[in-house]
Amino acid sequence: MDFSLSDEQSLLKDSVERFIQNDYDFDKRRKVMAEEDGFSRKNWQQFAELGWLAIPFSEEDGGFGGGAIELMLIMEQIGRGLVVEPYLPTVVLAGGVLRRAGSSGQKEQYLASIIDGSKLGAFAFAEPQGRFNLADLTTTAKAEGEGFTLNGHKCVVLNGPSADFFVVSARTAGDQRDAKGISLFLVDADAKGLSRRDYPTVDGLRGSEVMLENVKVGKDALIGDKDAALPLIEAAIDDATLAVGCEAVGGMEVLYKATVEYSKQRVQFGQPIGKFQVLQHRMVDMFMEYEQSKSLMYMAAMRLDEGYNDAAKRAVSGFKVQVGKSGRFVGQQAVQLHGGMGMTEELSVGHYFKRLTMIDTLFGNVDFHLKRYGSFE
Amino acid sequence: MELKLREDDLAFQQDVREFLDRHWPEDVREARRNTGRFEESKGESPEVRRFFDALNERGWAVPNWPQDWGGTDWTPTQKYIWDKETARAECPQLSAFGARMLAPVLYTWGSDQQKEQFLPAIREQKMIWCQGYSEPGAGSDLAGLSTRAVRDGDDYVVNGTKIWTSGAHVADWMFCLVRTSTEGKKQEGISFLLIDMTSPGITVNPIHLLGGIHSVNEVELKDVRVPAKNLVGEENKGWTYAKGLLTHERTGIAGVARSEMTLARLKKVATETSVDGGSLWDDADFRRRVTELEIDLEALAMTELRVLSQVEQGGAPGPESSILKIRGTEISQTLQVMQIEAFGYYGMPYPDQTLIDNEGPIGEPFALAAMQAMLYGRASTIFGGSNEIQKNIISKAVLGL
Ligand SMILES: Cc1cc2nc3c(=O)[nH]c(=O)nc-3n(C[C@H](O)[C@H](O)[C@H](O)COP(=O)(O)OP(=O)(O)OC[C@H]3O[C@@H](n4cnc5c(N)ncnc54)[C@H](O)[C@@H]3O)c2cc1C
Ligand SMILES: Cc1cc2nc3c(=O)[nH]c(=O)nc-3n(C[C@H](O)[C@H](O)[C@H](O)COP(=O)(O)OP(=O)(O)OC[C@H]3O[C@@H](n4cnc5c(N)ncnc54)[C@H](O)[C@@H]3O)c2cc1C
């Protein structure tokens, strides 16, 4: 057992931390959000130059060979900075599928351009009727001639508006919720028959409804084996679940510290409000929620690095349950203890609260992951 | 002890329902339900205007006011029924600042001239008020306010900054707590002034709340001249009036009827949300949480009824009345969050309402309005005396600590 970081890991952590501190304060974030894409292409290039876009990919694929610990280090900082650049959809989700099952041709074309920052991706896995069930799919891909024809509606696709390509889950066989019969496809954003409805999300990101109407793709668009993609989807989603959980931990750290600071400054009834015991205990609770979440974060990341098995899945779900509950508590209490100020757009506190609320939804809420946790021995 | 409504109360309930169904019909309700446009307004939309006119014509605009000023002779039970039915019908409410907060101060302590000038206009929703209490340095510690009013001939000259003033950007008038004396106890140097928002020297700066909602403002007052006739009651007695106002409105403060509506809608959404071929309502975990909340709400509803029946029998509200606001806001906040949770991924989109008007909703027609309610709802445990302050009051006044 060892909780210390390697030298390389420390360097990575420091580099992301420095960026967040120096180049991503709340005002700068506001400015990048006002850009056309809702994030900064310039920042994205800088991520590429700093090597962050290469982290999870194998050295063979031109990457850095990082695992869950490296992902954790990056995502925790992304959470602290409320970074809006599409690291999760591009690198963790679309990249996560491709690095696991992409053909050499797909990797050359897509992974390489993720790593050098020239292409952005998105993972269209959710459907309106499916809630958090990754296998509940009505989108179909029919084998036709030399390729496939896709039809369906994928919902709330993060980074949909800026994605150059989509990884799309679709049914190639079986019934709506069968585990078997699911396949993954690469679909370029400008494919004929693909249309989007774009929107901002409440936590400052962008998403799309993606409609597929007789979208034709070649044979080479299939990722991995036909009809057998569910484990692959689940693996990428588990990475992403860890990732947003780490974001939540980063956000909680910022919030509990900001609240403690504020309570020392804000004077009411002739004393700093931090002198009121009821608020002291509340902040102690916030701190404990953060620490407990952090513990399960380490556990989930280490388990994932030991191998992708039931123990790892269980750890990821346990972590997600914890951050779902803790994130909600810490977010709500941070707003409450800031009083009216906490309600404003101007202060960062409410924006962390919104992100934490949405992180509970992403990739399955507390109820979902409780059941999943309980389903493993 | 008996829980059933009496015959005459049932007949009254029937009357109210018919009135509301006629003047605020289901199609209007449905259209407004899904609108995520959150703003204070004078209710200028024609259907809202018509509704307020109908209320006034029927004499039901301000049930709680004295009859001399257009109120009713309803019993507390009837008022309770009214609150419940209006919440059920989701009909517009008169702006609370005028009708529920200021009016009781005016008809209790105001001059005849003030009553004549303001009460009918408030009742008809033709004059919108805002509440200028909080200041940057005086939130929970309201008595610490420092906006100064200095007498100069027939006027007061007012200088200071108010903050979090809901609806100041649409209000015609502001009722305002100002400092007229710095001697003695903080509470004893405060006066209650009525300020015309068109007076020179007033600047209203918008404050944007989470989700881009514009409902509150900062109001700067620079050498604003306020005629002395706009002082309510006596100088330096404003704190007493403001506190009287706080205890005045007992019913409705728990928001039981509104939460019951939200709960019903939450169940409806849950039955319509598909999960694994069934519905979210079939999910035992979700259902358990909703059911727990329903029991909490039922307990609160009964607590409110206990308070009402005491008042009906001419008694003062007992200590249990003090929990209404705390529990009511805790329940409504939990409901608001669960509503978002029920939407799953469709809780996330946050488009502009105009986009939805033009191109239709994204996923859930009600999602945007629900998100705004959830975000704004965080304020319910902060304003009107935060829940921490409410508990301080209970521990002192009720538990004797
Ligand atoms: C099973 C058991 C075994 C024990 N074993 C030992 C032992 O081996 N050796 C030994 O020396 N003692 C022992 N104790 C005593 C124990 O340390 C005391 O009970 C403890 O310090 C609390 O003191 P008290 O019982 O006088 O309660 P009080 O100090 O009177 O506390 C009463 C309540 O007030 C709360 N409270 C007090 N001060 C504050 C504050 N400032 N802020 C907020 N809340 C406050 C407390 O949390 C508690 O809920 C034992 C007690 C128990 C119950
Ligand atoms: C949406 C919204 C609308 C509003 N509308 C109006 C309006 O129309 N008119 C108006 O005058 N005001 C309005 N307010 C202001 C509201 O009344 C204040 O926000 C409230 O009084 C709290 O003050 P504050 O924001 O300064 O917080 P603070 O008083 O600074 O409180 C910060 C935190 O400290 C806690 N705290 C403070 N004192 C104690 C204590 N003694 N013990 C324990 N905890 C304590 C509080 O509970 C809170 O959690 C509005 C506020 C909001 C958010």
Side-chain angles (χ1 to χ4, degrees), chain A residues 262 266-269 271 273 276-279 282 333 335-341 343, chain B residues 97 130-142 162-167 209 215-216 376 378-389 392:
Chain A
Y262 185 76
R266 173 67 172 164
V267 173
Q268 287 288 277
F269 303 100
Q271 54 187 317
I273 57 172
F276 298 120
Q277 194 177 48
V278 63
L279 300 192
R282 196 83 53 77
Q333 294 307 325
V335 171
Q336 179 70 19
L337 268 56
H338 278 79
M341 286 307 295
M343 287 293 298
Chain B
F97 294 109
C130 63
Q131 177 190 39
Y133 285 12
S134 305
E135 297 180 5
S140 296
D141 184 12
L142 184 57
K162 294 292 175 182
I163 197 169
W164 315 121
T165 322
S166 299
L209 297 177
S215 72
V216 300
Y376 187 82
R378 300 320 304 176
S380 68
T381 48
I382 295 170
F383 58 48
S386 73
N387 281 20
E388 287 80 14
I389 295 295
N392 287 350

Side-chain angles (χ1 to χ4, degrees), chain B residues 211-232:
Chain B
I213 294 166
H214 177 203
S215 72
V216 300
N217 306 273
E218 180 193 62
V219 180
E220 291 175 280
L221 301 129
K222 203 158 175 252
D223 294 329
V224 178
R225 299 196 79 88
V226 180
K229 69 176 167 55
N230 290 350
L231 174 75
V232 175

Side-chain angles (χ1 to χ4, degrees), chain A residues 121-344:
Chain A
F123 190 12
F125 64 90
E127 295 190 3
Q129 82 293 339
R131 202 168 172 84
F132 305 125
N133 183 348
L134 300 169
D136 191 331
L137 299 177
T138 59
T139 296
T140 55
K142 284 215 174 68
E144 264 176 13
E146 278 299 276
F148 298 88
T149 304
L150 277 69
N151 277 289
H153 173 184
K154 309 303 282 191
C155 75
V156 196
V157 181
L158 290 179
N159 196 40
S162 295
D164 299 295
F165 67 94
F166 294 90
V167 173
V168 178
S169 62
R171 197 154 274 294
T172 35
D175 289 331
Q176 190 180 324
R177 281 177 294 280
D178 285 356
K180 293 232 170 67
I182 297 168
S183 306
L184 287 172
F185 298 91
L186 271 162
V187 182
D188 283 326
D190 56 7
K192 198 162 159 270
L194 184 152
S195 61
R196 297 188 325 256
R197 185 164 175 205
D198 299 341
Y199 42 77
T201 65
V202 72
D203 49 353
L205 305 175
R206 302 276 172 101
S208 309
E209 299 301 285
V210 175
M211 318 300 297
L212 304 155
E213 214 175 320
N214 294 321
V215 175
K216 299 208 185 306
V217 294
K219 230 175 26 202
D220 55 355
L222 178 71
I223 307 172
D225 294 333
K226 186 164 160 288
D227 294 341
L230 188 59
L232 182 55
I233 298 173
E234 203 190 354
I237 295 291
D238 269 321
D239 274 358
T241 308
L242 173 77
V244 292
C246 299
E247 263 193 85
V249 170
M252 281 188 255
E253 182 185 358
V254 171
L255 281 184
Y256 97 73
K257 287 183 175 164
T259 306
V260 169
E261 250 343 280
Y262 185 76
S263 78
K264 292 180 186 167
Q265 312 297 330
R266 173 67 172 164
V267 173
Q268 287 288 277
F269 303 100
Q271 54 187 317
I273 57 172
K275 290 273 176 240
F276 298 120
Q277 194 177 48
V278 63
L279 300 192
Q280 291 173 345
H281 286 198
R282 196 83 53 77
M283 288 185 276
V284 171
D285 286 337
M286 292 166 75
F287 159 74
M288 295 199 298
E289 294 294 331
Y290 158 71
E291 288 293 347
Q292 289 286 81
S293 300
K294 194 169 177 173
S295 297
L296 287 184
M297 172 175 83
Y298 288 151
M299 159 121 161
M302 289 191 279
R303 283 269 186 269
L304 277 172
D305 273 347
E306 281 166 19
Y308 187 59
N309 49 32
D310 280 2
K313 294 179 193 178
R314 190 167 184 263
V316 168
S317 281
F319 174 44
K320 189 63 179 15
V321 168
Q322 180 74 46
V323 293
K325 290 196 289 196
S326 299
R328 187 168 286 177
F329 177 79
V330 173
Q332 292 175 350
Q333 294 307 325
V335 171
Q336 179 70 19
L337 268 56
H338 278 79
M341 286 307 295
M343 287 293 298
T344 61

